[in-house]
Amino acid sequence: IQLAATGTVTERAGDQILAFGHPFLSVGPLDVPMATSEVITVLANQANSFKITNLGDIVGAFDLDRKFGVRGRMGQEAQLTPMTIDVIGDRSRSFSVRLARVPMMTPSLVAIAVLGALDSVTQAGGSQGLDLRTVFELGDRGELEVVQSFDGESASIDAALSMFAFADYLLNNHLVAVEVSK
């Protein structure tokens, strides 16, 4: 899975790019890949027009999201958080993803990846039981292991929401900054 936002390049000065012409998420510093894209069509709407695009090659990283746009640097590499999802059962499968480090978005990306992996391997509907074992690697703080079981019609969604909740608490708590390295 690849999730991307497409914006217009406002200006290029050397290896620096100013894009969008408006904030992306209004988060200030960020670290996400920057790629080329090909606009296929524009869907015009009086309230909010948008582009349908094909994602191209990664050419740098965006590092700053401010009022007047998003700054990127050509050749810079975004630091992504690796995530491995092993679904073990009748049709076992392993998934490796890399998540953008944007604390307000990363928990949603975790949940989307978990739900996608479970959807592609487990039964599509009906009651099921899932045993979830999660290990968050927290840099110099060690590891946090969470083991939980989910049963019923919404077991996959409940598991994904549980992952969202833990990732959100770790990345967006107001007590102490926590690095989730894997």
Side-chain angles (χ1 to χ4, degrees), residues 55-92:
L55 189 61
D57 296 329
I58 294 174
V59 294
F62 288 111
D63 61 3
L64 192 60
D65 181 8
R66 295 288 189 210
K67 182 177 182 179
F68 298 108
V70 183
R71 182 181 67 190
R73 294 188 185 273
M74 300 292 291
Q76 185 172 325
E77 188 174 338
Q79 297 299 308
L80 303 173
T81 301
M83 178 178 177
T84 303
I85 304 168
D86 295 317
V87 182
I88 301 167
D90 294 338
R91 297 181 304 152
S92 297

Side-chain angles (χ1 to χ4, degrees), residues 107 110-116 118-119 122 126-134 136 146-167:
V110 167
I112 290 167
V114 168
L115 191 56
L118 291 172
D119 259 5
T122 63
S127 187
Q128 63 180 327
L130 296 173
D131 295 319
L132 180 69
R133 178 182 169 268
T134 306
F136 291 96
V146 179
V147 178
Q148 190 168 354
S149 295
F150 302 91
D151 294 304
E153 299 287 331
S154 63
S156 292
I157 293 170
D158 293 343
L161 289 174
S162 173
M163 292 292 300
F164 171 91
F166 276 101

